[in-house]
Amino acid sequence: MRKLTAALCAAAMAVSMAVTALAAPSITTIAPETLTEVTTSVAIPEGKTVVVQAPVPASYKSKEAAEVVTKLNDDTTTITTAEILSVLKVDTTKEIKTESGTVIDPTVYEPITKFAELAITDGATAEYSVDGKVVSVKATVTVEALKDLTTEDLKNIVLMQIDPETGEVYFIEISEDDFDPATGKITATFPCMGPFTVMEKAA
Amino acid sequence: MNESRKSTHHHRNGKGHRIRRWFRHNKTMILICFVAGLAVAALGAFGIYRLRSIEAERHVTAGNSVNVGSAYRNILYDGQKYQYNAQITTILYAGIDSEGKLQPGVTYTDAPRADSISLVIMDKKNKKMTIMALNRDLMTEVRRYTLSGKDRGTYVTHLGFAYTYGEGGEVSCENLREAVSNLLGGIPINEYVVTNRSSMSFINNLVGGVTVTVPNNDLAADYPELQQGAVVTLDDSNIEAYIRSRDSDTDFSNEGRIARQQSYITSYIGQFQTLVQEDLSGTWDRMQEMDEFVQTSITKNKYLNLVNLLNAVDFTAGDYYIPAGEDEAGELHDEFYVDEAALQDKVIDLFYTAV
């Protein structure tokens, strides 16, 4: 019998609108957003830009990449890290290293954000390569979910990126120097364009 | 024979024999130790099970499991002792930035944000109702989770994100409740009501449309019926404009909107009081119709008590409180830093009595 009390709704609704009125630029999401200081390994065609955006799995050549991104971002389904790695055919019995060479066990990490993706766009389409060439990107991304983390906390964070063309998986560590706890900004080198999520090691 | 004897002798003097003999002589002690070991193991297993159970519960409803304790009951402020007014009932309201049904998902951290947050404070002792409007950009401690619902502790962020970090259902509501309670020094938030944009017309229509005296001409150009001083019963054609619209190119247009909102709420409460006095049960039944567009902790029994309380308190436009503070341009979004001293004074004023 969980229902409402109209008095409260009524009172509150009007107030709520007042508060809305006070608000300025909207807070939007706790997923990775905004991209600055972008450097790419391949020149981006004129009229197109590199952005961070909500994923477009339908544009991925890798069905496995599309599947895990769709599942993780779907509010009605759950998928564990082990399941993600299984779909992507990552052999967790072998040693897995981050891009900077640290050996990690990715199964002990779990996502703290949904997937966002790096894409090349003209505003209408999403592409992940230039003339068939893989595009690596060094960029700064703002991640609300990382705000206020300590240096120790940061050691438990990795980015997991998936190549949307091949389904290959990359793990990227964030160095202390490339992290601003006040804003959640991280600067990282992504081996390719495509979807990525932020993962935290379970305590 | 000799071989046999030798063999027997060998066994009697061997290590195995000594062990067996030791076991024979210490049967009782061994049994006790064994039972004790089992008990310890069982207790250990039970302890681990309980810890995991508690942890699992926390994963699902961390916001709900937080014990605000009783520290708020008796406080010392500026050298003066104060006691919490136990005759206060608080209801947290949030307007969510979404349309359609309000349904929880199975993952956390991606629910819509709470666009507007307010606290209805009904004080039976002083027969007074106050509405505290809280800016969604107010920077305060908010609990965050992983996608699977694991508690990651609190950090300072926009109050509006407290709902976002949940699953869009009870955990989101409880997370917001916890954040507001902590902001106000741990006072209890008794109930919550969450609606979204799809609820707006229904709420207005519940009382047959709210009749207001239009306080300004802000909307007169687009809505000729909304001339200053006109007495208008709002309906689906103008309710959203009346409540939400403003000309963002005009300085201080927000003040005009707040004036409209205050006229709306003041009228609404009066009309609602009349409605429930005339048809208490029927009003509840009509509210069931919008069940899918509302999330609330209020049951029918609580509703009856709250209606009685509503009829016992006064509310005027002056009982509408917006905490003071400063807007700052954040890295991405505006941030609102509340004047903590002023808010603390208000908390004392609203919730406490000097003893």
Side-chain angles (χ1 to χ4, degrees), chain B residues 168-232:
Chain B
E170 192 175 348
V171 176
S172 285
C173 296
E174 295 292 353
N175 210 40
L176 186 58
R177 171 146 74 173
E178 180 194 33
V180 172
S181 173
N182 289 342
L183 172 71
L184 301 177
I187 60 138
I189 308 292
N190 303 105
E191 310 297 343
Y192 63 78
V193 177
V194 171
T195 66
N196 67 2
R197 290 200 297 273
S198 296
S199 323
M200 196 183 296
S201 286
F202 188 94
I203 292 169
N204 188 56
N205 293 334
L206 182 70
V207 295
V210 174
T211 301
V212 295
T213 301
V214 181
N216 52 52
N217 279 320
D218 289 359
L219 302 174
D222 293 329
Y223 297 85
E225 74 276 22
L226 300 179
Q227 300 283 340
Q228 184 173 8
V231 177
V232 179

Side-chain angles (χ1 to χ4, degrees), chain A:
Chain A
M1 285 284 284
R2 297 201 155 195
K3 309 295 177 184
L4 85 154
T5 294
L8 314 176
C9 280
M13 188 189 77
V15 172
S16 71
M17 304 311 166
V19 179
T20 303
L22 299 172
S26 293
I27 50 174
T28 49
T29 175
I30 53 179
E33 58 180 338
T34 74
L35 202 63
T36 55
E37 301 168 43
V38 179
T39 310
T40 56
S41 60
V42 176
I44 303 301
E46 200 175 327
K48 295 183 179 179
T49 53
V50 175
V51 296
V52 61
Q53 62 180 20
V56 189
S59 304
Y60 300 169
K61 286 182 184 165
S62 164
K63 287 179 185 173
E64 291 81 9
E67 181 185 339
V68 297
V69 170
T70 302
K71 280 189 176 171
L72 189 76
N73 282 22
D74 183 352
D75 281 341
T76 63
T77 61
T78 55
I79 184 168
T80 64
T81 303
E83 289 166 342
I84 289 172
L85 297 172
S86 172
V87 172
L88 295 168
K89 299 179 179 66
V90 175
D91 186 351
T92 53
T93 63
K94 292 182 179 171
E95 193 174 77
I96 295 172
K97 288 183 178 177
T98 65
E99 290 304 289
S100 43
T102 306
V103 175
I104 62 164
D105 174 5
T107 62
V108 301
Y109 288 78
E110 68 170 294
I112 59 171
T113 69
K114 292 195 170 181
F115 276 107
E117 71 172 17
L118 296 172
I120 302 163
T121 183
D122 56 5
T125 58
E127 295 169 10
Y128 309 98
S129 59
V130 174
D131 298 330
K133 292 177 189 165
V134 174
V135 182
S136 70
V137 186
K138 184 176 182 187
T140 301
V141 185
T142 304
V143 185
E144 168 72 25
L146 292 179
K147 275 174 72 175
D148 276 7
L149 291 194
T150 64
T151 305
E152 278 304 304
D153 295 333
L154 195 63
K155 290 175 183 170
N156 293 325
I157 298 291
V158 294
L159 306 181
M160 180 175 75
Q161 192 185 23
I162 306 169
D163 187 326
E165 315 267 313
T166 65
E168 193 169 345
V169 182
Y170 303 99
F171 296 97
I172 306 154
E173 293 171 276
I174 309 297
S175 81
E176 188 184 345
D177 296 337
D178 291 328
F179 174 61
D180 179 1
T183 61
K185 274 186 174 181
I186 53 170
T187 300
T189 300
F190 298 86
C192 59
M193 308 295 283
F196 68 96
T197 180
V198 183
M199 305 180 86
E200 186 174 70
K201 191 192 284 183

Side-chain angles (χ1 to χ4, degrees), chain B residues 15-156:
Chain B
K15 193 177 175 184
H17 176 71
R18 283 201 303 275
I19 291 170
R20 278 199 299 277
R21 192 171 56 184
W22 185 88
F23 267 88
R24 260 202 315 274
H25 291 167
N26 296 284
K27 261 194 306 196
T28 308
M29 190 180 77
I30 291 163
L31 189 64
I32 289 168
C33 287
F34 180 69
V35 171
L38 274 181
V40 168
L43 282 171
F46 179 72
I48 290 167
Y49 168 76
R50 278 300 300 148
L51 278 173
R52 287 189 176 164
S53 299
I54 291 165
E55 195 177 24
E57 284 164 18
R58 218 177 266 147
H59 288 178
V60 179
T61 57
N64 199 21
S65 71
V66 172
N67 179 8
V68 294
S70 56
Y72 69 92
R73 290 186 190 281
N74 297 289
I75 62 170
L76 186 66
Y77 181 62
D78 273 353
Q80 170 70 49
K81 286 181 179 174
Y82 291 90
Q83 189 170 47
Y84 184 75
N85 174 0
Q87 293 190 56
I88 282 179
T89 300
T90 51
I91 301 125
L92 176 64
Y93 171 78
I96 302 303
D97 183 27
S98 73
E99 287 185 338
K101 295 178 183 176
L102 279 167
Q103 290 177 319
V106 295
T107 58
Y108 289 53
T109 80
D110 198 32
R113 68 176 182 266
D115 239 357
S116 48
I117 302 149
S118 51
L119 190 65
V120 179
I121 304 151
M122 293 197 277
D123 180 354
K124 192 175 178 182
K125 183 179 173 186
N126 296 305
K127 297 182 171 52
K128 183 183 166 190
M129 180 162 89
T130 305
I131 294 177
M132 181 185 291
L134 297 169
N135 193 319
R136 71 173 182 203
D137 288 322
L138 193 155
M139 302 301 283
T140 191
E141 291 282 335
V142 168
R143 189 171 299 279
R144 56 184 163 186
Y145 299 88
T146 65
L147 252 63
S148 67
K150 187 181 151 206
D151 188 346
R152 299 180 62 219
T154 63
Y155 77 119
V156 174

